Amino acid sequence: MEIARAAAGLFARHGLRATRAEDIAQAAGIAPRTFYRYFASKEEAVAPLYAAGAQRWAEAVREAPAGLSVPEALDHAVRHTLSPGGGVSAASWEWVRTLIRLATTSPPLRKVWAEVCQEAEDTLAGVLVERDGAGDREAGGSGAFGSEAGGGGGGNRGAGDREGNDREGDDHEAGDREAQGADNVADGPGASPDLRFTAAVASAAVRVAVESWATGDAPATGPDGPAALALRNLAALRDFRWERRP
């Protein structure tokens, strides 16, 4: 994550165009060849920061009390991840604002953001598969989405989710790599069409809230913060059929 933080800091201070991959490597204390081992471009270097928020969101949905309905679990996750606290400071949210604003003006960075959002949607679908399976077991085979929901496979994989250290002049390469949620969050390709649509709707409600907040100057807390906006978006979908369709 050090490379991602170094990249974000340079982007914020000097701008995306003025920052080179070599500058990011130097700021992170690694060799340029190490940078290119894990990232194909300077824009991809911030993907772990984008993905970290999506990971927290999916984990919060998974960890919501089993008795909650889908919309209740989504609200629970929003309240626990889209406000300062729980390990994410107000200053960190300002980094989020900066990175999302940069994505609106840079096609390469916008592509990274879009890919992370797609992976987050797949991850959420996998988490909903898990919750549905738990509901099946508790209710004797009649879960929130019904028995046709397929099982998720594999782990979530964010772009550039590994980082290494390779100090100049040192032949020893440290294997300091991070895999965010790679082993404990299911992907969603095996989910039923209904469940995948549910994940897409929920993900869009949260993504639009965060993007809308990032375009303004409102603090991360309060009625115009990302959590409040996301809860309003989800409330506007109160007539959406979150449960299994016949």
Side-chain angles (χ1 to χ4, degrees):
M1 194 64 76
E2 288 302 317
I3 297 176
R5 293 192 184 100
L10 290 172
F11 291 165
R13 289 193 296 273
H14 305 299
L16 190 63
R17 181 174 296 182
T19 300
R20 304 173 304 160
E22 289 77 11
D23 299 326
I24 298 171
Q26 182 178 22
I30 61 171
R33 63 189 176 91
T34 300
F35 177 91
Y36 284 113
R37 183 179 305 156
Y38 298 104
F39 304 104
S41 68
K42 62 183 182 182
E43 290 84 5
E44 286 188 9
V46 296
L49 290 178
Y50 285 147
Q55 179 68 23
R56 284 191 296 270
W57 150 255
E59 286 293 338
V61 174
R62 170 197 268 170
E63 294 169 3
L68 297 184
S69 66
V70 172
E72 290 170 341
L74 297 174
D75 282 2
H76 170 90
V78 165
R79 296 179 192 279
H80 282 75
T81 60
L82 268 67
S83 294
V88 183
S89 66
S92 295
W93 272 104
E94 290 306 314
W95 280 111
V96 172
R97 193 199 303 270
T98 298
L99 289 174
I100 293 179
R101 282 181 173 177
L102 286 172
T104 65
T105 60
S106 166
L109 197 57
R110 186 161 59 246
K111 179 175 180 290
V112 173
W113 170 242
E115 288 173 347
V116 168
C117 289
Q118 180 61 61
E119 290 172 357
E121 181 183 314
D122 290 343
T123 298
L124 180 59
V127 169
L128 293 178
V129 167
E130 293 178 2
R131 289 185 63 88
D132 186 45
D136 283 345
R137 291 190 294 274
E138 291 176 5
S142 179
F145 296 97
S147 58
E148 78 276 11
N156 181 44
R157 180 169 50 87
D161 55 357
R162 295 181 178 178
E163 296 178 359
N165 288 325
D166 186 4
R167 304 291 178 178
E168 291 284 357
D170 187 354
D171 292 334
H172 175 70
E173 295 185 358
D176 181 16
R177 302 181 180 179
E178 297 177 359
Q180 300 168 347
D183 296 326
N184 60 357
V185 177
D187 274 338
S192 71
D194 285 353
L195 192 151
R196 288 189 61 79
F197 184 57
T198 297
V201 171
S203 297
V206 172
R207 175 182 57 78
V208 170
V210 173
E211 290 176 345
S212 298
W213 168 77
T215 62
D217 297 313
T221 57
D224 295 316
L229 294 177
L231 290 171
R232 288 208 290 271
N233 287 351
L234 290 170
L237 295 167
R238 62 173 55 91
D239 293 329
F240 178 76
R241 183 177 294 183
W242 296 100
E243 309 302 331
R244 184 180 67 166
R245 296 162 183 78

